[in-house]
Amino acid sequence: MKNKMSGAKILIDALVNEKAEYIFGYIGGQVIPIFDELFGRKDITMIVPRHEQGAAHAADGYARVTGRPGVCLATSGPGATNLVTGIANAYMDSIPMIAITGQVPTTLIGNDAFQEADITGITRPITKHNYLVKNIDDLADIVKEAFYIAASGRPGPVLIDLPSDISKGEAYFNYKDSINLRGYKPNYTGNPRQIKNAAAMIKQAKKPVIFSGGGILHSNASEELLKFVEKTGIPITTSLMGMGSIPSIHPLFLGMPGMHGTYYANMAITHCDLLVAIGVRFDDRVTGKIKEFAPHAQIIHIDIDPTSVSKNIEVTLPIVGDAKNILGQLVSLCEKSDCSIWLDEIDKWKKSHKLTYHETDHVIKPQFVIESIDKITGGEAIIATEVGQHQMWTAQFFKFKYPRQFITSGGLGTMGFGLPAAIGAQIAAPDKIVFDIAGDGSIQMNSQELATCVNYNIPVKIAILNNNYLGMVRQWQELFYSSRYSGTCLRICSHEKYHDKCNKACESDNKEKQKYTPDFVKLADAYGALGIRITEKKDVEGAIKKALAYQGPVVMDFHTDQQENVMPMVPAGAPINQMLITGIA
Amino acid sequence: MLQDHIISVTVENKFGVLARIAGLFSSRGYNIKSLSVAETEDPTCSRMTIVVNADEKILEQIKKQLNKLIDTIKVQEFTNTSYLDRELMLIKVNTDPKKRTDLFQIVEVLNGKIINMTRKSITIEITAASDILENVIKMLQPFGIIETVRTGKIAISRDAVD
Ligand SMILES: Cc1ncc(C[n+]2csc(CCOP(=O)(O)OP(=O)(O)O)c2C)c(N)n1
Ligand SMILES: [Mg+2]
């Protein structure tokens, strides 16, 4: 006869059954029973961040590296709402995640109790599914379902809201072997006739291009993708989310398309007669003006999510199914394409509009720092980023080698994602070097997680490309708002009073007045991490080597060119072949 | 082209499902013209009949999005003549004693039923296809309508006569 056990124990046993190794959790009143259960358990490791947003992004980073759901846990009310950005971020990038929130006891729900928030209501549009557990007998099944839903089909976050009387209550633990949800049956195989049609279209195309994205990584289809590219000889461009699914140095790789994509990827899309889109959702940052996106092309769209098909772009041939499965079938059906003339055409664009920047010795160019990290780590490091110019430069200049190497916030563009995500990534891949390539603005959104790094000796290497600005927005202001840098300067304005206008001290040459806060080296020091300030180009490589030699977390504060812009660029809403290319050699 | 479409959705009979469906429409800016929900013969399922005004492209998205919800079991669209639809209306009108017989006649012709009568008002129940209800309202307007309540359209597929 089995014994009854607490809801908290049922929850944790179920997590362990689902092979969760880590739980990123922050305590509060309504989750004390769960933390009490975690205390001293050896089969699951608890990691305590310094902010619930950090917990969510760490679980996300962990999931991006392993492909398995990351688990985060927060208390009711403010703990739960602090998870929201992290959940929305995972939702936009289709990352499998289990978010567990404490809730006030079922008897108090709806009473505006202390720290009550309707978190299932709040997260309904940003989760793949969510649950409010009202009956302890449902708890084990809900956990199993949540993992299944989060990781299958198009992955995404699932939230479980657990009232404290349920976690304190008692029930028998019965764990199902399998799940059958009558309303949820993702289609993996793809329609065989459509796949044959696709092969025929690929054979006939004179100017084909492959455009693939995060879906390749989610379905672990990189190998099949590479085979498909090499067997057909068709050039390929990948979205930001697809970076790393094919080695960046592959001769058929065109880099990223869209707003900060390469000129040649955008020209290839604009002039192609067939676009083979796989695991992408045609985000507006990729398509630019929809009407002029791939205007001469027939489009094949392979995706597991039917709602992504023909949502933004009308497609000629939709195939709903799993990328790995369908690419596998296409590889055996397709032959070498005869597109040598097309490749020559693309080659001309590649040669006339190289992705490059003005090198100089007077100032540290941010792109140079990224190239140096690439060189010194042999391109092997896992690279997380924050959001902004530094993120785009990383996508442009780091040569990714393998899938799940690039950990970046695509759909939501969440500043503050990088550091906690890097923590999750480092925990998932303890033998890898993990960098967070950061902006000076973004790093401040979750810099408290330095404490987490130090506490658990998580040796993340943070490279701040410090341009004293919210650079990406400053760039828009420079280009489209007559350089009126409203709200983007991060230096101290030497205000007399808070309502005085900035005295623009930074525009004079008086360096004394151009104070910046915080001092990132001191900040690192205060947390017990190693801080290094780099103000000259000649010291860049040495600093990176020093950071790698150091056993713990490091903050490198690179003082980079403050005026550098991400180029080329398609202005928002313009066709992608109309790129601004100033600043390009 | 904007047009009314009837979508019938079978969902899990659980709390929160209605909010999911309503949220799906509101977060994408789609308009619900009418919505009616109740349990089916299988108590674990509810059936919703939703009327939306949308063009073909949006309609496709709506159907796909509905299908994507974990709690959605089946989505069916009723097109052309393949369905039967009804709507129930309760309508309360003024009763001018002089016009009462006129009113009674109209109610009879319309297959309505008087379910309450006071010195001031008469309440009528009518079940019909939605466009007929529009007509009824027009016919009763001259008497002075106090209030109306409608259930929204419900629809079921029509089997061929054999
Ligand atoms: C949470 C959040 N708030 C605001 C924005 C808008 N935004 C996008 S990029 C950016 C600037 C980022 O500055 P920094 O981290 O210094 O990076 P840089 O562009 O200078 O490399 C801002 C404010 C955002 N993406 N996320
Ligand atoms: Mg910056």
Side-chain angles (χ1 to χ4, degrees), chain A residues 99-114:
Chain A
I100 299 160
T101 48
Q103 182 55 281
V104 301
T106 48
T107 47
L108 288 182
I109 289 179
N111 289 9
D112 299 330
F114 179 64

Side-chain angles (χ1 to χ4, degrees), chain A residues 91 124-125 128-132 134 149 154 181-184 305-312 314, chain B residues 11-16 19-20 27-28 42 44-45 57 61 64-65 67-73:
Chain A
Y91 185 70
R124 205 171 282 130
K128 188 170 170 186
H129 197 54
N130 63 22
Y131 298 88
L132 168 62
K134 286 186 149 182
I149 291 169
R154 178 180 178 177
L181 293 169
R182 54 184 171 179
Y184 177 70
D305 178 8
T307 65
S308 286
V309 177
S310 292
K311 181 180 65 181
N312 300 339
E314 283 303 323
Chain B
V11 298
E12 296 286 348
N13 185 8
K14 290 181 185 163
F15 69 92
R20 278 182 215 285
S27 69
R28 284 163 206 276
D42 172 356
T44 67
C45 296
K57 194 173 172 217
Q61 261 301 310
K64 287 180 183 174
Q65 294 286 352
N67 258 315
K68 190 173 170 178
L69 293 176
I70 310 288
D71 287 332
T72 301
I73 300 163

Side-chain angles (χ1 to χ4, degrees), chain A residues 150-338:
Chain A
S152 59
R154 178 180 178 177
V158 177
L159 179 134
I160 302 172
D161 197 22
L162 193 61
S164 59
D165 56 333
I166 306 274
S167 46
K168 285 184 207 157
E170 291 208 317
Y172 293 108
F173 183 62
N174 291 312
Y175 213 66
K176 280 189 195 155
D177 295 330
S178 66
I179 290 259
N180 180 21
L181 293 169
R182 54 184 171 179
Y184 177 70
K185 305 237 181 307
N187 177 358
Y188 285 93
T189 50
N191 180 317
R193 215 181 48 226
Q194 305 275 79
I195 295 171
K196 269 203 193 114
N197 289 344
M201 283 166 72
I202 292 165
K203 197 171 175 187
Q204 276 173 8
K206 293 276 174 296
K207 298 175 163 194
V209 175
I210 298 163
F211 167 39
S212 67
I216 296 291
L217 300 174
H218 298 314
S219 84
N220 296 315
S222 302
E223 222 172 280
E224 287 77 5
L225 179 70
L226 189 62
K227 274 191 199 146
F228 180 60
V229 167
E230 293 192 331
K231 189 165 178 201
T232 58
I234 299 176
I236 172 168
T237 171
T238 68
S239 70
L240 183 72
M241 299 319 295
M243 283 285 168
S245 50
I246 184 150
S248 299
I249 56 163
H250 196 283
L252 288 167
F253 184 58
L254 304 178
M256 183 171 74
M259 181 171 278
H260 291 300
T262 62
Y263 178 80
Y264 34 98
N266 284 352
M267 292 305 274
I269 288 177
T270 304
H271 293 277
C272 71
D273 65 358
L274 177 71
L275 189 70
V276 186
I278 315 161
V280 288
R281 58 187 177 84
F282 296 99
D283 183 88
D284 53 274
R285 286 292 187 261
V286 164
T287 61
K289 187 174 181 185
I290 289 270
K291 280 221 178 79
E292 290 173 47
F293 181 79
H296 311 295
Q298 294 197 300
I299 301 178
I300 299 171
H301 190 185
I302 300 168
D303 204 286
I304 195 141
D305 178 8
T307 65
S308 286
V309 177
S310 292
K311 181 180 65 181
N312 300 339
I313 295 269
E314 283 303 323
V315 304
T316 324
L317 180 74
I319 308 177
V320 172
D322 173 53
K324 189 182 184 75
N325 187 310
I326 293 165
L327 274 173
Q329 299 182 58
L330 276 177
V331 168
S332 46
L333 290 172
C334 287
E335 294 151 29
K336 184 123 201 121
S337 288
D338 173 28

Side-chain angles (χ1 to χ4, degrees), chain A residues 387-390 413-415 439-442 445 467 469-473:
Chain A
V387 168
Q389 292 181 310
H390 61 278
T414 312
M415 291 172 67
D440 52 318
S442 299
M445 287 210 175
N467 52 12
Y469 278 106
L470 299 173
M472 181 55 93
V473 185

